[in-house]
Amino acid sequence: MTRTLPVPTEERFTSRLRSPAVAARIGVWLAVAFTTCFVTGLISHYAQNVDHPVPFPTSPAWGYRVTQGLHVISGYAAVPLLLVKLWTVFPRLFQAVPLGDLRRLVLHGLERVSIAVLVGAALFQLVSGIMNAAQWYPWSFSFRPSHYAMAWVAIGALLVHVAVKLPVIRDALLGDVEDTTHDRPSATREGALSRRGLLRTTWAAAGVAVLATAGGSVAWLRQVSVLAVRTGDGPQGIPINRSAEAAGVTTAAVAPGAYALELVNGATSLTLDRADLEAMTQHTEELPIACVEGWSATATWTGVRVSELMALVDATGGPDVVVTSLQRFGAFSTTMMQGGFVEDDRTLLALRLNGEELSLDHGFPCRVIAPNRPGVLQTKWVTRLEVST
Ligand SMILES: Nc1nc2c(c(=O)[nH]1)N[C@H]1C(S)=C(S)[C@@H](COP(=O)(O)O)O[C@H]1N2
Ligand SMILES: [Mo]
């Protein structure tokens, strides 16, 4: 009697492209992409946490822009690599379970679990990261803690996977790509492509993914970057992350008479209006905004040094400062600026952007712009600077 199973058996997959010789080569590049993503992700996480004893450095000013750009680009590049790699190893999912032998059954089960964790974590990271770059949050969990926690799961599972597969990987990489030593017995059918052809197509797809996203950070690639969520457009040549309307900041709230900037240092405080800020010494800096969601752009900012403002309330030597925005809805209305940023001469409360008065969407009457700082901490519509207690 024959029984038809709802799932195919491993033998049904006959393409010789589904070979460890192919998988190992793609695996090398996938490991490079994931490691780049992991390391740059840790840097970004560190830069956004403002309560650790060793603050994020303020130099080089473009540092965070580069690491965050690499983070997003390597994440997108990993997508085609992961898909092709999963395709090459897919038949293994239907391998016969060694039911008769307990030891082999346990090993088989452990391998399956570790692969499931790896694939699950890798897919979660890529999908959640891309959705974040697209500013699409259909989920209820908080993005950053989950993306961060899952990064450790993914990198841990990757290390276990590489360790387990090391003998096969080494053999496959040392041998020719056409070598069949580690192939499944049924993987003999010639494909439409040669193995080299499949690899070249995969590298090309990863290259296209890079070009399609790199324009989010590299200005001269903007025209080809169809997947870069924000182009160079936006008022004053810079994209808008959250508009004044979305943040609940109205024209009335920033009008002369209504708007005030409070400087607070314990019992000492001072209230300024925008004209007072304009009357102070103006400084001009060229600094990037590097959004954690993947785009970045450099601009020329003019305004007042935060250190000079804090000195008006006797707060010198770079204390930590709490920055409060006029914003009424959503996160990031209050941010912490660690002393190193407060002290740095390049850190401004900017009044002007690219030679024009700051537009409302870019943070009018004034906004923080500091070197080497995640965009999310470059607070707009600032109304209060208070020495942290
Ligand atoms: N008050 C406030 N400031 C904010 C934000 C915000 O949501 N509220 N978004 C931040 C983020 S995530 C980025 S990337 C930058 C972008 O600045 P821009 O909109 O002027 O380009 O502003 C930052 N400043
Ligand atoms: Mo951002």
Side-chain angles (χ1 to χ4, degrees):
M1 191 181 86
T2 51
R3 218 159 38 112
T4 13
L5 293 171
V7 285
T9 56
E10 188 194 349
E11 291 72 35
R12 291 267 304 278
F13 298 92
T14 54
S15 168
R16 64 187 300 279
L17 293 177
R18 302 196 200 241
S19 159
V22 175
R25 284 168 172 81
I26 298 173
V28 170
W29 285 103
L30 205 47
V32 170
F34 272 8
T35 307
T36 306
C37 246
F38 181 68
V39 172
T40 51
L42 291 187
I43 291 172
S44 182
H45 194 75
Y46 195 90
Q48 287 177 73
N49 273 350
V50 286
D51 49 7
H52 41 60
V54 182
F56 199 66
T58 61
S59 288
W62 43 264
Y64 183 79
R65 181 179 193 196
V66 169
T67 61
Q68 192 60 13
L70 278 174
H71 185 72
V72 175
I73 291 168
S74 55
Y76 274 95
V79 173
L81 298 175
L82 182 65
L83 291 178
V84 178
K85 177 118 183 349
L86 288 177
W87 181 83
T88 63
V89 299
F90 185 63
R92 302 227 171 246
L93 202 56
F94 307 103
Q95 243 169 359
V97 181
L99 284 173
D101 180 335
L102 185 63
R103 205 185 81 91
R104 281 184 54 213
L105 182 64
V106 169
L107 284 178
H108 179 91
L110 284 177
E111 203 213 354
R112 281 299 156 87
V113 169
S114 79
I115 296 284
V117 170
L118 176 58
V119 173
L123 288 176
F124 177 86
Q125 290 301 82
L126 295 182
V127 170
S128 64
I130 287 168
M131 285 163 74
N132 183 260
Q135 287 204 312
W136 182 33
Y137 301 99
W139 53 66
S140 56
F141 57 83
S142 175
F143 171 76
R144 194 157 70 90
S146 8
H147 198 67
Y148 176 70
M150 206 54 103
W152 287 100
V153 175
I155 207 79
L158 184 65
L159 284 175
V160 169
H161 180 65
V162 170
V164 169
K165 297 285 179 189
L166 205 52
V168 178
I169 295 173
R170 199 185 42 213
D171 253 29
L173 293 180
L174 289 177
D176 190 82
V177 67
E178 298 296 343
D179 191 277
T180 55
T181 316
H182 293 283
D183 288 5
R184 292 171 301 108
S186 63
T188 52
R189 185 172 49 87
E190 289 292 333
L193 280 166
S194 68
R195 287 182 179 180
R196 283 195 172 79
L198 175 63
L199 287 176
R200 275 191 218 110
T201 310
T202 309
W203 309 150
V208 167
V210 166
L211 287 180
T213 50
S217 333
V218 186
W220 52 270
L221 278 175
R222 241 159 221 155
Q223 301 307 322
V224 292
S225 285
V226 291
L227 291 182
V229 174
R230 296 163 197 83
T231 65
D233 323 318
Q236 304 171 319
I238 300 291
I240 298 288
N241 189 269
R242 180 183 277 133
S243 66
E245 192 185 353
V249 177
T250 59
T251 333
V254 299
Y259 172 78
L261 172 70
E262 272 184 289
L263 306 173
V264 184
N265 177 18
T268 315
S269 70
L270 184 67
T271 303
L272 306 177
D273 60 19
R274 178 147 162 145
D276 296 326
L277 290 171
E278 279 166 5
M280 290 178 69
T281 312
Q282 304 292 302
H283 298 272
T284 297
E285 301 288 344
E286 197 169 299
L287 291 171
I289 285 206
C291 181
V292 297
E293 285 156 337
W295 60 270
S296 60
T298 289
T300 305
W301 306 90
T302 302
V304 182
R305 281 183 181 150
V306 169
S307 60
E308 290 174 6
L309 281 168
M310 296 317 292
L312 295 177
V313 286
D314 307 323
T316 50
D320 291 354
V321 167
V322 178
V323 180
T324 308
S325 166
L326 287 173
Q327 173 178 343
R328 290 187 292 136
F329 324 122
F332 314 118
S333 69
T334 303
T335 50
M336 167 71 98
M337 187 187 284
Q338 285 193 291
F341 290 96
V342 174
E343 212 177 4
D344 196 297
D345 276 349
R346 295 166 295 177
T347 301
L348 304 180
L349 204 58
L351 308 176
R352 303 175 70 76
L353 162 56
N354 286 339
E356 292 171 20
E357 180 161 279
L358 208 55
S359 71
L360 183 59
D361 282 337
H362 279 307
F364 181 88
C366 60
R367 62 102 43 89
V368 166
I369 186 78
N372 202 28
R373 192 165 168 79
V376 66
L377 301 177
Q378 309 275 36
T379 310
K380 305 194 275 192
W381 315 292
V382 173
T383 188
R384 189 180 166 93
L385 297 174
E386 179 173 9
V387 173
S388 168
T389 46

